[in-house]
Amino acid sequence: MPVMQVTIDITRQQVEKIFGLDQYWCQCVAWSTTGTQKSQKAYIRIAYLRKNFEEEPQGKEVALDQEVLLRCHPPEGVPQAEVEWQRNEDILNPEMDPNFFITADHNLIIRKARMADTGNYTCVAKNIVARRKSTSAAVIVYVNGGWSTWTTWSSCSAVCGRGWQKRSRSCTNPTPLNGGSSCDGQNVQKSVCVATCPVDGGWSEWSKWSACGADCSMWRSRECTQPSPGTGGKDCQGLDLQSLNCTSEQCPQTFQGFLSAHHRRQRQCEVAAVSGAEDVALYVGVVAVALCLTLLLIIVVLVYRRKKEGLDADVADSSILTTGFQPMGIKPSKPENSHLLTIQPDLTTTTTSYQGTLRSRHDTTGKFAMTNGTLLDALPNGSHTLHNGKLNSDPSEFVSRLSTQSYFKTLPRDVANASYGTFNFLGGRLTIPNTGISLLIPPEAIPRGKIYEIYLTVQRREDLRLPLAGCQTLLGPVVSCGPPGVVLSRSVILSMDHCSDGCLDNWALRLKKQNYEGVWEDVLLMGEELVSEPYYCQLEAETCRLFSEQLGTFALVGESLHMGAAKRLRLVLFSDAYCSTLEYNIRVYCMDDTEEVFKEVMQMERQLGGRLIDEPHILLFKDSYHNLRLSIHDMPQAHWRSKLLAGYQEIPFYHIWNGSQRYLHCTFTLERLSLSTCELTCQLCVWQVEGEGQSFSLDFNIAKDTRAIDAEFMLMDSNATALAGPSAFQIPYLIRQKICSSLDAPCPNGADWRMLAQRLKLERHMSFFASKSSPTSVILDLWEAQHFHSGNINQLAAVMADIGKQEAMIFLVSDGEC
């Protein structure tokens, strides 16, 4: 039978026209005279795969070891699409890595996220028609930081008295990765420690002589118990037992009976020989003492004549050393001190004045021969004149001469913010009025025979490139004193304001100094000072006092240890003194709480014609990275409206925290609806986002000039900017020397310089005082720096009386009569 092959071409359009879009089938039918034969049905389906996924995976940030679920719902298709997952274009095989699991509905599960699982994940769907890829989902596995264990506490920073010790930890257990959170808390802890001061041993009184013994000698003893040496203190020096031969009459009779006449004669000869030797030693000692006294008298006469030659002939007496003495009315509480009140000082000595030159009559070139720096040129006329201790000269002449020196060309020429003077070994003081900045030059700080021209000035912060990194901030003015090359015999004290919250636990405070090349260097970390270094700082509530053996340019920089650290801001409000238009401006300054910044803002506002409209307020600005917001509320809408588009203004956090921008302020422009409206009442709020705030209630008349308020907060300092010699100090020079000699020597019961420091609440600095040759002198320097304007010398005298140093009190009163 012949074989037949039949074909037919059928298009999709023909099928869909007859059968529609539903599934259909085809069948082949063959027939002949013998019958009909049908083939099996062939079902036809149209295959496709749509483009868009019904659900695509989404990126996630997950912690280490956390389970991750990435969803994927592939596009609709015929036949149904198969799904596979890729990471960074590499196919994931759950059979090879059991950490991955693909569910029946095509989702990917990462059982425990590992750092290696960080990547871009893609869901891939495919069938016989096409292959579709989803958008990539970024999975980031991060690690939150964890603290390491604390280190052991460091040794106490103080050798004697109150000090600090610290310990630290690091955020490395584990280290934050891929945006993980840093450790919460502080990485440094400080704790107060008290180091027991070494106590040197002291001898007790000698015991009474013993009875004469059989060997014709007697003895006495003493013990090292007043006080006993402790904490590494020195033992007593000297003998603890003394013996002495008795006279023949005191020797026991039993011993005399055993002596023969020969022995008695021999004994008498020996006694005579010993007595003769003692007489010779006595005569030699008397002659030696006489020679020493004669030599000392010659030296005193020579020194006196040399001083007389160095001073002008019109110095009538020694009142140059006691000119600064002030009368005291000491009222001791103890009855035994009542005799001190019977001696009255002679008040006429306070009117004595010295008029003449402090410059020596020797060759002036020899006065300035130094190896480590260059001094200023000599004065034109060779002298500066002192009247009652106040130094007079032409400010512009001094500044112009100063600017010619190569090192000082960068110094500001603003005479109002500078002070200068000429000083010798008697010392003195420089003050920049209304800035809180002063330089105390103690007696003997300048070597005898030297005369220095010294200046003190404030540097503009915007003119300096002070490097500040991270959480560091400038906490006070940048102050220059110099010339930097002068040789000092002891530390001067530089006082300047600071604006930190005063809590050392919140800060790492550093003193920076600018070297000759203009580079800033860290010279001191407060709390970890070494007494051997040339710098030491005392931080008070609002003032930093720097003990320095070198002059130069200094700045106090703080680095916050945690977000609890805060700076003090002074918020000051100004407005236009007169208003003749509908617009009215209120300026709110947010400045560091230091006097020198406040002074400059006051001077600038006076030039602008502004007026102070409320008392300054203090705001603690924390290291929280939050901005400062300012807004005005509760204005009478019937008379006033604000022209600001936003409800508040903001000052960025870093503009304030950096401290290099001095005049940060916001201006609120208000508009009154009528020129007849003069009364303004409103509420001004200043706050740090999620932090503390201050509120000003304003109620004043804009038509009235209230510039009298300015004078209340800008009282000009009437004191001289430069004081040389005794008038710069409250304690007279001779009295000071006697107090030092009385308190420097250790006293067994502690009635020495240590008790003076405790009474003046300076015990934290015991180690620093103890490192000096005269601890009392340094304590008195600090007292002078603290109490120049407000000090009461009677209180100091009362402290001396409380210590029990009656001889020092007698010096204090009797010398006032000289």
Side-chain angles (χ1 to χ4, degrees):
M1 183 176 179
V3 179
M4 256 178 113
Q5 183 175 359
V6 179
T7 60
I8 186 173
D9 293 329
I10 301 173
T11 65
R12 177 178 177 179
Q13 289 79 5
Q14 292 173 334
V15 174
E16 290 180 352
K17 183 177 181 180
I18 298 174
F19 299 101
L21 298 178
D22 295 331
Q23 177 179 315
Y24 62 94
W25 51 268
C26 296
Q27 189 179 41
C28 181
V29 180
W31 67 89
S32 68
T33 56
T34 60
T36 303
Q37 191 69 33
K38 296 180 180 181
S39 69
Q40 65 180 5
K41 294 178 180 180
Y43 290 89
I44 306 299
R45 289 184 299 176
I46 300 175
Y48 66 92
L49 184 62
R50 300 193 183 279
K51 294 183 178 181
N52 297 325
F53 281 74
E54 295 186 8
E55 183 178 8
E56 292 186 303
Q58 302 294 323
K60 293 184 177 181
E61 294 183 359
V62 296
L64 190 68
D65 295 332
Q66 180 180 336
E67 183 181 271
V68 183
L69 173 62
L70 297 177
R71 296 183 179 275
C72 178
H73 196 172
E76 179 185 357
V78 176
Q80 185 178 0
E82 298 178 357
V83 174
E84 65 181 17
W85 283 88
Q86 295 180 351
R87 180 185 65 193
N88 299 332
E89 305 297 333
D90 295 330
I91 298 176
L92 296 177
N93 188 352
E95 295 180 358
M96 298 293 293
D97 191 346
N99 194 44
F100 296 106
F101 176 71
I102 300 177
T103 64
D105 52 353
H106 312 301
N107 296 329
L108 176 65
I109 295 178
I110 306 175
R111 302 180 192 276
K112 287 187 176 181
R114 304 161 298 191
M115 295 302 299
D117 294 331
T118 298
N120 296 318
Y121 287 79
T122 308
C123 179
V124 181
K126 61 182 179 180
N127 63 6
I128 61 173
V129 177
R131 188 171 183 268
R132 313 288 189 196
K133 297 177 70 173
S134 69
T135 57
S136 296
V139 174
I140 298 176
V141 182
Y142 63 84
V143 178
N144 291 326
W147 287 115
S148 65
T149 57
W150 288 102
T151 61
T152 57
W153 288 102
S154 64
S155 58
C156 193
S157 62
V159 179
C160 171
R162 183 173 181 269
W164 299 93
Q165 58 182 169
K166 70 175 183 177
R167 63 177 183 174
S168 61
R169 57 181 178 176
S170 58
C171 190
T172 56
N173 189 28
T175 303
L177 292 174
N178 291 342
S181 61
S182 297
C183 303
D184 187 18
Q186 57 186 17
N187 62 339
V188 177
Q189 281 186 346
K190 284 189 176 182
S191 176
V192 178
C193 58
V194 179
T196 305
C197 299
V199 178
D200 295 336
W203 288 115
S204 64
E205 297 292 334
W206 286 102
S207 64
K208 294 183 179 179
W209 288 103
S210 65
C212 194
D215 57 350
C216 204
S217 66
M218 54 184 179
W219 56 271
R220 65 176 180 175
S221 64
R222 58 180 178 175
E223 297 179 347
C224 188
T225 58
Q226 295 295 329
S228 300
T231 322
K234 297 179 181 178
D235 290 330
C236 300
Q237 302 295 321
L239 298 175
D240 60 351
L241 185 67
Q242 278 186 346
S243 63
L244 186 67
N245 290 334
C246 308
T247 61
S248 59
E249 291 80 7
Q250 294 174 321
C251 293
Q253 294 299 324
T254 56
F255 180 73
Q256 294 285 347
F258 290 103
L259 294 176
S260 63
H262 173 73
H263 289 164
R264 283 197 299 272
R265 286 193 301 271
Q266 184 178 1
R267 180 69 175 174
Q268 290 174 357
C269 293
E270 292 174 355
V271 171
V274 172
S275 177
E278 291 178 351
D279 290 341
V280 172
L282 179 61
Y283 295 148
V284 171
V286 171
V287 172
V289 171
L291 290 175
C292 291
L293 291 177
T294 304
L295 181 61
L296 180 61
L297 180 60
I298 294 173
I299 293 174
V300 171
V301 172
L302 291 176
V303 171
Y304 176 76
R305 288 182 176 179
R306 183 177 180 181
K307 288 184 178 180
K308 290 292 289 180
E309 291 174 358
L311 298 176
D312 283 353
D314 57 353
V315 179
D317 51 29
S318 62
S319 60
I320 186 173
L321 300 178
T322 56
T323 301
F325 175 74
Q326 299 175 1
M328 295 162 289
I330 305 166
K331 299 180 180 180
S333 57
K334 299 180 181 180
E336 59 268 24
N337 295 335
S338 60
H339 68 280
L340 299 176
L341 300 177
T342 61
I343 306 176
Q344 298 297 328
D346 183 5
L347 302 183
T348 60
T349 59
T350 60
T351 61
T352 306
S353 62
Y354 166 62
Q355 297 180 349
T357 177
L358 287 179
R359 189 174 301 276
S360 173
R361 291 178 182 172
H362 301 295
D363 184 10
T364 56
T365 58
K367 300 294 183 181
F368 301 95
M370 296 186 295
T371 60
N372 59 344
T374 304
L375 288 179
L376 301 180
D377 298 334
L379 294 176
N381 58 359
S383 66
H384 267 201
T385 304
L386 289 173
H387 298 280
N388 289 325
K390 297 182 180 180
L391 184 145
N392 301 317
S393 182
D394 182 13
S396 58
E397 180 263 339
F398 181 87
V399 173
S400 61
R401 205 158 37 81
L402 187 70
S403 61
T404 60
Q405 307 295 322
S406 59
Y407 179 80
F408 310 114
K409 290 182 179 179
T410 59
L411 292 179
R413 301 192 180 187
D414 184 4
V415 178
N417 288 322
S419 181
Y420 56 92
T422 304
F423 303 94
N424 66 355
F425 77 97
L426 291 176
R429 185 189 307 263
L430 292 175
T431 304
I432 303 178
N434 305 305
T435 62
I437 300 172
S438 64
L439 179 68
L440 181 76
I441 307 167
E444 308 294 341
I446 297 176
R448 291 177 179 263
K450 297 288 186 180
I451 298 178
Y452 294 157
E453 287 183 328
I454 296 179
Y455 66 85
L456 177 67
T457 184
V458 184
Q459 298 276 29
R460 295 185 179 274
R461 303 181 188 182
E462 54 269 24
D463 297 338
L464 300 171
R465 294 183 179 179
L466 185 64
L468 298 176
C471 301
Q472 290 185 343
T473 177
L474 187 61
L475 293 176
V478 180
V479 181
S480 292
C481 55
V486 299
V487 177
L488 299 175
S489 302
R490 52 183 301 187
S491 297
V492 297
I493 301 179
L494 177 63
S495 301
M496 52 187 175
D497 289 350
H498 70 86
C499 61
S500 76
D501 56 10
C503 181
L504 289 178
D505 293 336
N506 295 337
W507 295 92
L509 298 178
R510 289 179 170 83
L511 179 72
K512 289 183 177 288
K513 183 176 183 289
Q514 193 176 31
N515 61 20
Y516 284 95
E517 289 75 22
V519 179
W520 288 92
E521 301 173 337
D522 291 344
V523 295
L524 176 68
L525 177 60
M526 199 170 298
E528 299 183 5
E529 304 98 333
L530 298 178
V531 295
S532 59
E533 294 178 346
Y535 308 100
Y536 187 85
C537 272
Q538 179 197 340
L539 195 73
E540 301 171 5
E542 298 178 357
T543 306
C544 172
R545 306 199 187 274
L546 168 64
F547 292 80
S548 176
E549 297 175 7
Q550 300 174 4
L551 303 183
T553 300
F554 300 95
L556 182 65
V557 172
E559 181 178 3
S560 62
L561 299 179
H562 50 78
M563 290 192 294
K567 293 178 61 175
R568 296 191 324 274
L569 297 184
R570 186 179 300 190
L571 308 178
V572 190
L573 276 66
F574 288 91
S575 67
D576 300 328
Y578 300 99
C579 180
S580 58
T581 62
L582 294 178
E583 285 190 356
Y584 189 70
N585 295 317
I586 295 178
R587 294 179 292 278
V588 184
Y589 287 85
C590 306
M591 66 187 78
D592 291 349
D593 184 27
T594 58
E595 290 299 322
E596 53 98 18
V597 178
F598 182 58
K599 173 185 177 181
E600 291 196 16
V601 170
M602 290 291 294
Q603 291 174 340
M604 184 176 66
E605 278 292 330
R606 284 183 172 178
Q607 294 176 357
L608 296 175
R611 64 170 177 173
L612 189 67
I613 59 176
D614 199 359
E615 296 183 2
H617 288 219
I618 302 300
L619 172 69
L620 288 179
F621 188 77
K622 293 186 176 181
D623 181 19
S624 62
Y625 302 102
H626 292 301
N627 299 338
L628 192 68
R629 288 185 178 178
L630 303 92
S631 60
I632 284 186
H633 307 275
D634 303 334
M635 279 194 309
Q637 300 297 325
H639 304 286
W640 292 88
R641 68 182 182 90
S642 174
K643 299 191 69 175
L644 295 178
L645 298 178
Y648 59 85
Q649 299 187 65
E650 277 195 353
I651 301 178
F653 168 82
Y654 283 105
H655 288 185
I656 297 176
W657 191 258
N658 182 269
S660 60
Q661 302 187 40
R662 302 166 62 82
Y663 310 127
L664 288 173
H665 70 279
C666 287
T667 300
F668 290 90
T669 302
L670 310 180
E671 185 178 32
R672 49 180 175 169
L673 304 183
S674 172
L675 288 175
S676 60
T677 300
C678 295
E679 296 294 332
L680 174 59
T681 58
C682 61
Q683 195 82 8
L684 174 65
C685 296
V686 184
W687 77 100
Q688 191 176 9
V689 180
E690 300 182 9
E692 298 182 2
Q694 284 284 359
S695 179
F696 294 77
S697 296
L698 304 182
D699 186 0
F700 61 97
N701 190 317
I702 68 173
K704 294 181 179 179
D705 186 4
T706 58
R707 277 181 289 182
I709 302 178
D710 296 4
E712 181 181 351
F713 296 97
M714 198 61 183
L715 294 175
M716 294 302 295
D717 191 349
S718 59
N719 294 285
T721 58
L723 293 174
S727 62
F729 307 97
Q730 295 202 57
I731 307 172
Y733 181 74
L734 293 180
I735 295 177
R736 173 194 179 94
Q737 287 184 316
K738 293 175 181 177
I739 294 176
C740 292
S741 62
S742 175
L743 296 183
D744 279 342
C747 187
N749 60 1
D752 49 28
W753 64 268
R754 293 171 294 182
M755 186 173 293
L756 176 63
Q758 293 173 355
R759 293 291 190 272
L760 298 178
K761 303 186 185 304
L762 300 175
E763 59 272 11
R764 177 178 175 270
H765 311 286
M766 285 290 194
S767 298
F768 174 67
F769 298 145
S771 66
K772 303 303 179 183
S773 59
S774 175
T776 310
S777 182
V778 181
I779 295 173
L780 296 181
D781 292 343
L782 183 55
W783 186 88
E784 290 277 8
Q786 290 175 324
H787 300 94
F788 177 54
H789 294 294
S790 59
N792 188 344
I793 200 169
N794 290 343
Q795 294 178 353
L796 181 62
V799 169
M800 295 292 298
D802 188 41
I803 294 176
K805 290 293 182 180
Q806 299 298 330
E807 66 274 16
M809 290 297 300
I810 295 174
F811 293 157
L812 196 62
V813 176
S814 61
D815 279 11
E817 299 177 341
C818 297

